[in-house]
Amino acid sequence: MKVFGIDPGSERTGYGCVESDGSRHVLVRCGAITTSALTSFPDKLRTIHAELSALLDECRPDSVAIESVFFATNVRSALKLGHARGVAMLAAVEAHVPVVEYTPAEIKRAVVGYGRAEKHQIQHMVKLLLRLPVPPSPHDAADALAVAICHIHSIRSLALGVGKLRSKAETSWRHVRLGR
């Protein structure tokens, strides 16, 4: 399975493609699409879309995993991030690749084991999981690889029967009956 992860942003959009057999993950490609601060916003979106489209055509992933919006310092930042996510999703849909979304906390839990992990912790775990000599850089690329790894782990968990619990009551320890 090949998963293409995207960490969207209007200034820098991270991307990373990981191939996995379910237990061993291999880096296919990673990097960041960077736009100039002097470029108009519509042109930034066009660049992100065009470059992601070309990368998806080259990598031919089975699915695209993208980080969802969770917080922005102000409304303007949130809107810009939403636009960047939109063109990233459009590129995936145009490539006929299914898109899944994960929150930052879900990604951090899947890769680091802690939902409030810091950037350097994510980079280090991605380095270990992909058996890389150095952590991926910039951090946007490491974040995108973490999104892809999160999706791979989620698929594996579902295949193993983990995560089939539906309601909060079913996931609470109070409802666990040991030895019965």
Side-chain angles (χ1 to χ4, degrees):
M1 148 194 333
K2 198 184 290 186
V3 178
F4 193 93
I6 301 174
D7 177 35
S10 60
E11 300 295 324
R12 194 164 54 198
T13 293
Y15 64 87
C17 189
V18 176
E19 191 158 8
S20 179
D21 62 5
S23 60
R24 183 180 166 107
H25 313 316
V26 178
L27 172 67
V28 175
R29 183 170 183 167
C30 73
I33 300 165
T34 306
T35 58
S36 167
L38 302 175
T39 305
S40 70
F41 188 65
D43 286 337
K44 288 180 183 196
L45 294 176
R46 182 183 54 199
T47 299
I48 292 166
H49 179 266
E51 291 194 31
L52 283 176
S53 294
L55 288 162
L56 290 168
D57 187 51
E58 179 185 318
C59 293
R60 302 208 180 277
D62 300 306
S63 58
V64 169
I66 187 167
E67 184 173 355
S68 63
V69 177
F70 73 105
F71 175 78
T73 54
N74 61 47
V75 173
R76 176 174 253 153
S77 296
L79 286 171
K80 286 184 175 186
L81 180 56
H83 289 310
R85 287 184 73 247
V87 297
M89 288 179 151
L90 177 61
V93 169
E94 288 176 338
H96 305 288
V97 181
V99 179
V100 293
E101 299 177 72
Y102 294 96
T103 66
E106 288 174 317
I107 296 162
K108 292 172 182 179
R109 271 194 305 273
V111 175
V112 180
Y114 176 59
R116 294 187 178 195
E118 296 179 17
K119 295 281 185 193
H120 71 277
Q121 293 172 310
I122 295 167
Q123 283 181 304
H124 182 70
M125 284 305 296
V126 168
K127 173 192 165 210
L128 293 175
L129 290 168
L130 295 176
R131 296 175 181 88
L132 302 175
V134 295
S137 185
H139 67 81
D140 306 276
D143 289 348
L145 290 167
V147 177
I149 292 168
C150 173
H151 184 56
I152 291 166
H153 289 180
S154 294
I155 290 171
R156 192 168 130 211
S157 293
L158 288 173
L160 294 173
V162 179
K164 288 186 179 181
L165 300 176
R166 301 286 181 232
S167 70
K168 267 193 169 183
E170 290 175 306
T171 60
S172 171
W173 63 270
R174 290 181 186 98
H175 299 281
V176 175
R177 307 232 189 256
L178 298 176
R180 293 180 192 173

